[in-house]
Amino acid sequence: MPRPALVRRVEASVFLVCSENGLAAADLRQDCWKPGLRGRATEGSTVTLRSSHWYSGDDRNAYIHRAWMRRGVPDSAFTGRPQIAIANTASDLTPCNAHLDEVAQSVKNGIYEAGGIPLELPVVSLGETNVRPTAMLWRNMAAMATEEMLRANPIDGVVLLGGCDKTIPSLLMAAASVDLPAVVVPGGPMLTGHFRGAALGCGTDVWRLSEEVRAGTLSEAMFLKSESSMIRSKGHCNTMGTASTMALVAEALGVVVPGVAGTPAADARLLEAAHLTGALSVALVAEDRRPSTFLTKGSFHNAIVALAAIGGSTNAVVHLLAIAGRLGIDLTIDDFDRIGADVPLLVNLQPAGRYLMDDLFRAGGFLAVMREVRDLLDPDALTITGRPFVEYLDDARIWDPEVITPRESPLLPAAGISVLRGSLAPGGALIKPAAASPHLLKHRGRAVVFDSIEDFHARVDDPDLDIDETSVMVLRGCGPKGYPGMPEVSNMPLPTKLLERGIRDIVRICDGRMSGTAYGTVVLHVTPEAAAGGPLALVESGDWISLDVRAGRLDLDVPADELAGRMPNPATVKGYADPRRGWERLYVDHVLQADKGADLDFLVGSSGSEVFRESH
C-alpha cells in the first residue's frame, strides 16, 4: 500500500504535493480506489490556492479573514493548506438527509488527514416529502445559493453531500457553474422495511397501498399500520426513485468515486467512502480537476445508458439537462431517446421490478450493472479520479442474477425513457415504458380533462364522471410556470369506480412530473406546458388522443383549423400560478421549459469562481 502523500507548508499562496511514488493524497487505498492522480500536481509541483487571495498577506483584509476564522486553529491552517468546503444538505426537515452530519464528519477526517482544512457549509436542503407546493420550485434557488456561497468564500474545493431528490441535482448545478474542484458523496438508501412479512418499497408501496384502500381491498386501519414499517432506517428512498437514480447516474457521470453510489446509508462502508473522498478532494485541488476539465458529452452519454439500464426515474432527464446547461454541453431530450431507447433493463427493482436498493448493493452493485452494458459506454469519459469510468468495471460481478439480470436475459430488451412528439407535444414529452402497461403503449382514447389539480381532486371520484378503461386522463396547469414548479402529480390516482372494477392503469397525460417511485402508463413533461401556450391548454373532454410509443408519437386528433379557433378554458387559466413577489415571481418569469431542464434562463452557463472585489 502506498504511503499517504504529504502536503508541506511552503509559501502562503501555494502547497506542495509529494510522496515516494508520486501519487496524491487520495491513494490511501490504492487497491480499492486506484485514482491515478498524476497531472499538474506531481512530485515537486506547486499549486496556487484560490483561498490565498483571502488569507495571504499582511494587510487589513487578510488580518480580518484570518482572525475571524482562527478560533483555536494554528497558523498552518492559513498557509498553503487547501480549504475544502463540505456542502451539507443535512436537515431535520429533509428526513432522507438527516444523517449527513455523520457523513460530513468522516469527510472532515479524510480532508484533514490529507492535509486540507475542512469547512462545513450548510446549504439549502429540499425535503421531497414535506415542502409545498413542490421541491422542484426551489431546486434552482438551492443551486444558485450554493453557487454564490462557494464563490463568495475562501474555498479551494468542495465535497457535495446530497441524497433526497433535488439535493444532488442542485449541488451539481452549483458546482458546474462555479467550477471549483468538486466531488459528490451520496447519502445512500435506507434499509428495507417489512409489513405483514413482505418488503415495502417506500414511495411505490405508498401509491399501491393507497389505491388498494380506495378500491376496498385493504382497510384504512391496515394501511395506517404499515406507516411505521415503511421507513426502517436513515437514508433516502429504497426504490429506484429519483434519489437512488440521481446517485447512480452521478456515478456514471463521473462525479462520484466509482463503487460508492448505492451504498446503504446505514452501512459503515459509506463512512469509509466519505473519509476517502475527503482525502481525494485535497488531491483534486492539487490537480485542478474542476467539472469543466473532465465532464464531456461522453460523460452524459454514460449517464443516459445508466439511466436506462437501472430503470431510473424520468426526473433524471430534467436534472441532467439542467446540469449540462450549466456546463455548456449541448444535451437535448432527443439524446435520451437516441442513446437510451434500446438499452436493456437489467435491474429488477421497484417500481419497474421486485427488489430494493439494499438488494442491488448485495447483488453486486451499480458497477456490476454497468459491466453488462460496457460496450454501450463511452470508453474515454473520465471520472473524478482521473481514470475512465469503464476501467472500474473489470472486477465487477453479479452475485444475484435475480436482482441484476445478465445482458442475455434482461427484464426488458429496450427500456430507456422514450421521447414523444406530435401535435399534442410539439416540444416533446416523455414516457417510461418499463413502468407502463405494455398493452397501453399504443392506444387511442377519448380525453377526460382536468383543468387544475384542484379540479382533479374535486371530480376524480365523482360517480358520474364519464370515464372508462379506454379513456385518456389529461391534467394540465402543472408545468414549471403553471403550478409553479412542475410537481409530481402526473401519475394521477385512478377513479374509484375503475379501481373497484379491478382496473389499475389507464393512459394519463400531464405537463408535470411524477415521482421516480411511481408507475403506470404516464406521459409527462409535455412541452410546451399549458401555461406557456402549449396545445395541452386547448384539449377538450371527448377529443381523441393517439399514443404510439414505438413510433414516438403523441397526437391530438383534432383538425388544425378547429384547434386554431379554440381558446383556453377560463378555468384552466384561472388555475395558473400568478405570484406577486419573491422567488415564485422570479421563477415564473424566468423558468425554462422541461425540455431545457427547467432551469432559470439567466442561470444557464457558468460564471466561474473569480471574485473581483474585497469586502472591506
Side-chain angles (χ1 to χ4, degrees):
M1 183 179 296
R3 291 172 57 183
L6 303 176
V7 180
R8 293 179 179 167
R9 177 180 172 180
V10 285
E11 299 294 332
S13 61
V14 298
F15 71 101
L16 180 69
V17 178
C18 63
S19 68
E20 282 188 352
N21 57 7
L23 298 181
D27 283 277
L28 302 173
R29 284 275 307 275
Q30 189 182 26
D31 58 321
C32 175
W33 293 72
K34 301 179 183 176
L37 292 165
R38 297 179 177 89
R40 292 176 53 185
T42 53
E43 185 171 353
S45 68
T46 59
V47 177
T48 300
L49 292 173
R50 178 177 180 269
S51 58
S52 68
H53 298 295
W54 278 261
Y55 295 137
S56 179
D58 300 322
D59 64 6
R60 182 181 67 179
N61 287 313
Y63 177 102
I64 290 171
H65 298 315
R66 291 192 301 266
W68 264 257
M69 286 295 291
R70 185 173 296 276
R71 301 179 190 270
V73 302
D75 288 346
S76 62
F78 308 106
T79 53
R81 296 179 68 175
Q83 310 288 310
I84 309 295
I86 303 170
N88 187 358
T89 55
S91 168
D92 288 343
L93 287 168
T94 306
C96 297
N97 291 20
H99 67 296
L100 290 182
D101 285 337
E102 180 184 19
V103 177
Q105 184 58 55
S106 290
V107 174
K108 287 180 182 179
N109 294 343
I111 293 170
Y112 202 82
E113 180 181 28
I117 300 296
L119 300 158
E120 193 164 351
L121 176 67
V123 294
V124 176
S125 186
L126 299 173
E128 196 68 30
T129 56
N130 283 338
V131 296
R132 295 179 178 179
T134 170
M136 185 65 174
L137 175 61
W138 294 287
R139 182 202 65 176
N140 301 336
M141 183 187 75
M144 183 167 67
T146 302
E147 173 190 345
E148 297 298 341
M149 288 301 96
L150 293 178
R151 181 181 295 113
N153 279 292
I155 300 301
D156 300 303
V158 60
V159 180
L160 309 168
L161 304 188
C164 193
D165 295 13
K166 305 302 177 295
T167 54
I168 286 179
S170 66
L171 292 171
L172 283 176
M173 291 163 69
S177 288
V178 76
D179 202 30
L180 288 172
V183 59
V184 175
V185 179
M190 65 183 72
L191 301 177
T192 300
H194 295 81
F195 179 63
R196 298 186 298 184
L200 283 176
C202 60
T204 300
D205 276 323
V206 175
W207 317 130
R208 181 180 64 82
L209 295 175
S210 63
E211 294 287 69
E212 295 305 319
V213 172
R214 296 176 65 239
T217 58
L218 179 71
S219 71
E220 187 171 302
M222 267 314 229
F223 175 63
L224 295 178
K225 190 173 182 181
S226 72
E227 182 180 312
S228 60
S229 305
M230 179 72 65
I231 310 302
R232 176 185 169 195
S233 76
K234 56 190 173 184
H236 60 65
C237 292
N238 57 2
T239 49
M240 191 55 74
T242 305
S244 298
T245 298
M246 287 309 302
L248 300 180
V249 165
E251 183 168 308
L253 193 63
V255 293
V256 178
V257 173
V260 172
T263 304
D267 195 307
R269 285 168 288 185
L270 178 63
L271 300 181
E272 179 187 16
H275 183 113
L276 292 170
T277 301
L280 173 63
S281 70
V282 177
L284 296 180
V285 175
E287 292 272 336
D288 192 28
R289 185 166 297 139
R290 295 168 286 111
S292 64
T293 67
F294 72 94
L295 290 178
T296 64
K297 186 72 175 282
S299 308
F300 286 86
H301 175 107
N302 289 351
I304 293 170
V305 172
L307 178 61
I310 64 176
S313 167
T314 52
N315 286 312
V317 177
V318 77
H319 296 320
L320 286 171
L321 288 169
I323 295 165
R326 298 297 183 96
L327 290 163
I329 292 173
D330 182 23
L331 189 72
T332 71
I333 57 171
D334 293 320
D335 289 318
F336 289 83
D337 211 3
R338 175 181 59 84
I339 297 168
D342 294 325
V343 175
L345 174 62
L346 303 179
V347 176
N348 186 11
L349 255 66
Q350 295 184 35
R354 172 184 172 190
Y355 293 97
L356 295 162
M357 281 298 291
D358 50 356
D359 297 307
L360 175 62
F361 186 70
R362 67 169 175 79
F366 178 61
L367 294 182
V369 180
M370 300 311 290
R371 187 174 189 266
E372 295 295 303
V373 291
R374 183 172 187 161
D375 60 302
L376 303 179
L377 298 172
D378 185 316
D380 299 320
L382 299 176
T383 69
I384 193 68
T385 68
R387 296 173 58 202
F389 178 73
V390 295
E391 289 189 10
Y392 288 88
L393 306 179
D394 294 341
D395 297 329
R397 293 291 184 274
I398 297 173
W399 303 115
D400 187 341
E402 288 292 319
V403 180
I404 304 173
T405 63
R407 175 77 170 270
E408 59 269 19
S409 55
L411 270 73
L412 288 174
I417 291 168
S418 295
V419 176
L420 308 173
R421 295 186 188 273
S423 60
L424 192 51
L430 305 181
I431 188 170
K432 183 179 177 181
S437 299
H439 72 282
L440 292 174
L441 294 178
K442 185 173 183 179
H443 182 77
R444 187 170 184 266
R446 289 190 178 274
V448 178
V449 178
F450 300 95
D451 289 305
S452 65
I453 193 64
E454 291 78 18
D455 181 38
F456 170 79
H457 288 310
R459 293 196 295 122
V460 65
D461 286 328
D462 185 342
D464 295 326
L465 184 67
D466 185 11
I467 192 170
D468 62 26
E469 63 271 28
T470 69
S471 300
V472 176
M473 296 173 71
V474 175
L475 173 60
R476 57 194 175 201
C478 300
K481 291 181 179 291
Y483 201 77
M486 206 180 174
E488 294 181 337
V489 296
S490 296
N491 57 315
M492 295 164 264
L494 300 188
T496 299
K497 68 179 186 180
L498 296 187
L499 293 171
E500 289 173 342
R501 291 176 48 209
I503 297 165
R504 293 296 182 267
D505 193 15
I506 67 173
V507 176
R508 286 158 277 181
I509 298 173
C510 183
D511 47 9
R513 299 177 301 116
M514 76 175 180
S515 169
T517 66
Y519 54 88
T521 310
V522 180
V523 177
L524 64 168
H525 299 204
V526 175
T527 307
E529 63 174 299
L536 196 67
L538 304 178
V539 182
E540 297 178 355
S541 290
D543 288 345
W544 287 96
I545 293 176
S546 296
L547 168 67
D548 189 337
V549 174
R550 180 175 291 274
R553 298 293 304 181
L554 180 67
D555 290 292
L556 177 62
D557 296 340
V558 174
D561 55 348
E562 179 182 340
L563 198 64
R566 289 184 180 179
M567 295 293 290
N569 187 336
T572 300
V573 176
K574 184 179 179 181
Y576 295 158
D578 186 25
R580 301 299 179 189
R581 62 181 297 276
W583 174 255
E584 287 193 24
R585 180 71 267 163
L586 188 66
Y587 182 92
V588 169
D589 287 347
H590 291 279
V591 69
L592 299 170
Q593 289 294 282
D595 64 323
K596 303 298 183 185
D599 203 353
L600 300 194
D601 52 17
F602 62 83
L603 290 179
V604 175
S606 172
S607 299
S609 63
E610 190 169 356
V611 181
F612 297 98
R613 286 178 168 168
E614 252 295 356
S615 56
H616 297 89

